[in-house]
Amino acid sequence: MKIKYPISLKQIALFSFLIILVLGVSTALVSTLVRADDKIKAEENNLALNGRTAQTVRTSLDNIQGNSYVLFEAFSVVVDSGERERLGESFFRSNPDVLFVSSDETGLLVNPSYKDFEAGIRAFLGSGEASSAISDKSDLKTKYFSASVLFEFPSLVFIYKYGPSNDVKSGAVGLNAESFAELMSTGSNNTTILVDEKARVLVNPDFSSTRTVRDDLLFLIDELLKNPEIDNTQQSVDGVFTAVHQIRDDLFVITAISEKSVYAVINRTTFRIILFSLAVFFAAIILIRIFSNGITNPVKELVVASNKIEKGEFELDIEPRTHDEIGLLTSSFVQMGKGLSEREKLMVSFSKFTNKTIAQKAASGELSLGGENRNATIFFSDIRSFTAMSEKMQPHEVVEFLNAYMTRMVECVNQTGGVVDKYIGDAIMAVWGAPESSGSPEGDALNAVTAALMMRDSLAEFNAERAGKGLPPVKIGCGINSGPVVAGQIGSEERMEYTVIGDAVNLASRTEALNKPFATDVLITENTYSLIKDKVLVAEMPGVHVKGKTDAIKMFAVVNLAGREGAKSLDEVRAIIGTVAPDLSKVNTDDEEKKYNIQA
């Protein structure tokens, strides 16, 4: 089909019309609408800059005043001179911009970095308006003074009152205002200063300026003082947009920008627009023809690529042909495909390092810092005499052994709906009931015990394989406890770990250690037994005084699940796991971990 109006022709015609239109009306727009709009924006920006600066200065002063007040209160109750000295040093470390503080409680404390100015500070506080402000307890307003002449850098002194009405006290704080001066000089064409109610300049980013009083700004300050309901105000003064914001008491931030500066930008912009429009007009006729063909073909390829991604085919065989938006979009499509492919691979890999449920929740953003109270069953297992065993093995043999052992044990946890919380050397910690439960604490407890019995069977197979290779058998101990825990993500925003904490976890760990003196392989606490006592066959063990617990905790050695084939007594279990029934009366309760006392 013959194209009557090619895209290139349409683009050339449309672009030419737009350029001519821009050239015809740009002057009028700049001289009227743009000029008026930029004037409004300049005023708004000036006012906004003034407000932001005022807020920052206010916050800094409030923080410093609050910190100094805490120091004064601390000195009122601390009498030891050494402790007072440490308080002062700690204050100046936390507030390095504070030059000095002075109060009835502290006397004059000077920042060690400015000790050379101590004599000048005393003279400053002991004379003039500063001395009057300190001694006058009836005037509760905070007074501000410039100390730049004393310190030879932008500095500010403020004196405030505190304490009950019947015992008003004065506190003086000297502040290095260089950070304020830097903040006030951030506007490209704006000038910001800090003044008091008499328009005396307290902080000026142009520190070399000797002008200390701004009579031309007094009427703005008076207007703000007469109308306290006005948060801040702005007026044009002699061709200068001037904004004033009252910070606190008699302290004001004033920001100004000249109309000449505002309109200079507009004039330059107008000239650039005209030049740019002319250049684009002549270049468009030549380039549009070339660009038109570079648009339609890549768009078709992107349509095909999007269909592939929709079907799950993330590896795309397209490449950007141009360096414009279409090319960028093509590159983004390719990168998006790679990202989705990497995400799939990451999910597979991530699931190997943590539970699949936790991996999915983490990937979807459902897990965040914080915890929740859950009723869970906690499991600990440990290999007996692993240290002695590993000393006879090469490092790579230790790793291979643990990988083979862990694979079997973790499979038992996964098959019963548990979550491997962590590996602690040769030990395994697992949880049932967090982050997801089987539906009830009883079900979680039964699943945990089932997993332990599956481990017993799997370990027997593992030992049979080892025996065929002439290797000694592996013995483990498993401890299980149920109870309330706090479950959630613990760590930082950069690295988090899902885990459970609480007394129930500690008791499970300590229960596992009791397998050795009891010559058992699976021990559960009374808490777990009470949940599933009708579903398990157990042998009650002597009461145990666990460290941190007052009353004896009943322990039960798990023989089997009720109705399940296999061992029916603890003696049969011991025969399977290769242990001998101990004489509990001769057990040394101070041996090994010292976490238990066996009750006779």
Side-chain angles (χ1 to χ4, degrees):
M1 180 179 179
K2 186 177 180 180
I3 299 176
K4 187 175 182 179
Y5 300 106
I7 292 178
S8 59
L9 180 60
K10 293 179 181 179
Q11 290 175 328
I12 292 174
L14 178 60
F15 203 86
S16 299
F17 171 78
L18 292 176
I19 294 300
I20 294 173
L21 180 63
V22 170
L23 288 173
V25 301
S26 60
T27 303
L29 287 174
V30 170
S31 61
T32 55
L33 299 177
V34 176
R35 182 178 293 268
D37 185 59
D38 282 0
K39 177 182 177 182
I40 293 173
K41 289 181 180 179
E43 292 177 320
E44 291 175 347
N45 291 338
N46 190 61
L47 191 62
L49 177 62
N50 178 257
R52 290 195 300 269
T53 304
Q55 179 62 39
T56 302
V57 174
R58 178 193 292 114
T59 301
S60 298
L61 291 176
D62 287 344
N63 289 338
I64 292 172
Q65 181 172 325
N67 293 342
S68 64
Y69 175 75
V70 171
L71 178 67
F72 299 159
E73 289 294 305
F75 265 71
S76 67
V77 297
V78 174
V79 297
D80 181 71
S81 59
E83 183 64 23
R84 286 190 168 197
E85 182 177 354
R86 285 190 291 273
L87 286 173
E89 292 174 353
S90 176
F91 173 81
F92 287 119
R93 283 197 302 270
S94 301
N95 302 272
D97 288 339
V98 175
L99 304 172
F100 68 87
V101 293
S102 176
S103 70
D104 295 339
E105 294 87 354
T106 63
L108 177 62
L109 298 179
V110 181
N111 189 319
S113 300
Y114 303 95
K115 274 293 185 181
D116 295 340
F117 298 95
E118 183 170 356
I121 294 171
R122 293 187 183 276
F124 180 89
L125 296 178
S127 62
E129 293 185 44
S131 176
S132 300
I134 293 174
S135 59
D136 186 3
K137 303 301 175 64
S138 62
D139 186 0
L140 301 181
K141 286 186 176 182
T142 301
K143 301 296 183 181
Y144 302 90
F145 307 91
S146 173
S148 300
V149 176
L150 171 62
F151 291 98
E152 299 181 348
F153 56 78
S155 51
L156 179 68
V157 175
F158 63 93
I159 300 170
Y160 67 94
K161 304 299 187 296
Y162 65 96
S165 58
N166 59 351
D167 186 22
V168 176
K169 299 178 181 179
S170 297
V173 179
L175 178 64
N176 184 337
E178 289 181 317
S179 60
F180 289 173
E182 292 176 359
L183 175 66
M184 293 174 183
S185 61
T186 55
S188 57
N189 294 312
N190 303 77
T191 301
T192 303
I193 58 176
L194 185 68
V195 302
D196 62 11
E197 79 282 1
K198 297 180 181 179
R200 292 181 293 191
V201 178
L202 301 176
V203 177
N204 187 348
D206 183 12
F207 185 66
S208 61
S209 175
T210 58
R211 189 176 185 185
T212 58
V213 178
R214 298 291 299 264
D215 295 332
D216 56 326
L217 302 176
L218 271 175
F219 80 97
L220 281 175
I221 296 174
D222 290 338
E223 180 178 341
L224 193 59
L225 292 175
K226 292 175 183 178
N227 300 279
E229 69 277 7
I230 300 177
D231 184 31
N232 57 354
T233 184
Q234 178 170 248
Q235 292 189 18
S236 179
V237 182
D238 297 329
V240 178
F241 302 130
T242 306
V244 58
H245 194 116
Q246 185 175 12
I247 297 180
R248 48 191 290 196
D249 294 333
D250 298 329
L251 194 63
F252 303 84
V253 169
I254 296 176
T255 305
I257 183 172
S258 67
E259 294 182 9
K260 182 178 180 181
S261 298
V262 175
Y263 295 142
V265 174
I266 297 173
N267 294 334
R268 288 196 301 269
T269 302
T270 303
F271 180 72
R272 290 172 181 172
I273 289 174
I274 295 174
L275 291 180
F276 179 77
S277 299
L278 289 172
V280 171
F281 176 75
F282 290 108
I285 298 175
I286 300 173
L287 298 177
I288 290 300
R289 179 70 179 180
I290 300 174
F291 290 159
S292 60
N293 291 331
I295 294 177
T296 56
N297 292 335
V299 169
K300 292 178 181 179
E301 290 182 349
L302 290 176
V303 172
V304 175
S306 64
N307 291 332
K308 288 184 177 181
I309 290 178
E310 187 176 357
K311 295 177 181 178
E313 300 177 15
F314 302 127
E315 298 295 335
L316 304 178
D317 56 356
I318 60 174
E319 295 182 358
R321 297 184 179 184
T322 61
H323 297 285
D324 55 9
E325 290 83 352
I326 299 296
L328 179 61
L329 183 58
T330 303
S331 298
S332 298
F333 254 77
V334 174
Q335 293 300 320
M336 180 178 66
K338 292 180 180 179
L340 292 173
S341 178
E342 289 297 324
R343 177 171 176 173
E344 286 295 314
K345 294 178 182 177
L346 180 61
M347 281 297 299
V348 174
S349 300
F350 189 28
S351 297
K352 295 180 181 179
F353 289 91
T354 186
N355 179 266
K356 184 177 181 180
T357 301
I358 294 177
Q360 291 174 343
K361 288 180 176 290
S364 63
E366 296 180 34
L367 292 180
S368 60
L369 286 178
E372 59 178 342
N373 295 324
R374 302 293 292 262
N375 283 317
T377 296
I378 305 93
F379 167 95
F380 279 89
S381 71
D382 188 46
I383 299 176
R384 294 287 166 255
S385 303
F386 177 72
T387 301
M389 182 187 302
S390 62
E391 288 177 349
K392 301 176 183 179
M393 303 165 66
Q394 295 297 320
H396 73 276
E397 294 176 331
V398 175
V399 173
E400 291 175 358
F401 163 73
L402 285 178
N403 287 341
Y405 164 76
M406 294 291 187
T407 298
R408 287 178 171 271
M409 300 301 105
V410 171
E411 180 65 21
C412 299
V413 175
N414 293 337
Q415 288 183 10
T416 54
V419 174
V420 175
D421 186 286
K422 60 176 63 68
Y423 301 108
I424 312 169
D426 60 305
I428 300 174
M429 175 183 171
V431 182
W432 283 259
E436 292 184 348
S437 171
S438 64
S440 66
E442 294 82 0
D444 294 330
L446 183 60
N447 286 338
V449 173
T450 301
L453 294 176
M454 291 172 63
M455 290 180 184
R456 177 189 292 171
D457 297 338
S458 182
L459 187 64
E461 297 175 0
F462 185 55
N463 283 332
E465 295 175 2
R466 289 176 58 83
K469 300 177 182 178
L471 298 174
V474 177
K475 297 180 181 180
I476 67 171
C478 304
I480 300 174
N481 180 45
S482 303
V485 297
V486 176
Q489 291 292 94
I490 294 177
S492 68
E493 290 292 350
E494 296 180 354
R495 187 181 188 279
M496 297 182 287
E497 178 184 24
Y498 187 90
T499 188
V500 294
I501 57 176
D503 188 60
V505 179
N506 299 332
L507 182 54
S509 175
R510 296 175 182 182
T511 300
E512 179 276 319
L514 297 174
N515 282 285
K516 186 174 182 179
F518 285 156
T520 56
D521 65 339
V522 180
L523 279 176
I524 63 174
T525 65
E526 182 179 4
N527 300 329
T528 302
Y529 178 69
S530 63
L531 294 173
I532 56 173
K533 57 185 177 181
D534 297 331
K535 299 178 181 179
V536 291
L537 181 62
V538 299
E540 184 173 351
M541 307 305 291
V544 176
H545 284 92
V546 180
K547 184 178 180 181
K549 298 290 184 180
T550 303
D551 299 329
I553 302 295
K554 291 183 179 180
M555 294 289 167
F556 299 86
V558 178
V559 176
N560 208 339
L561 294 178
R564 181 174 179 261
E565 294 183 3
K568 301 299 180 183
S569 68
L570 183 56
D571 290 336
E572 293 182 41
V573 172
R574 285 174 174 154
I576 295 172
I577 64 177
T579 61
V580 179
D583 184 354
L584 297 179
S585 63
K586 295 182 179 180
V587 172
N588 183 358
T589 58
D590 295 325
D591 194 17
E592 296 196 9
E593 299 183 22
K594 300 181 182 180
K595 294 180 180 177
Y596 49 83
N597 288 319
I598 299 181
Q599 192 179 58

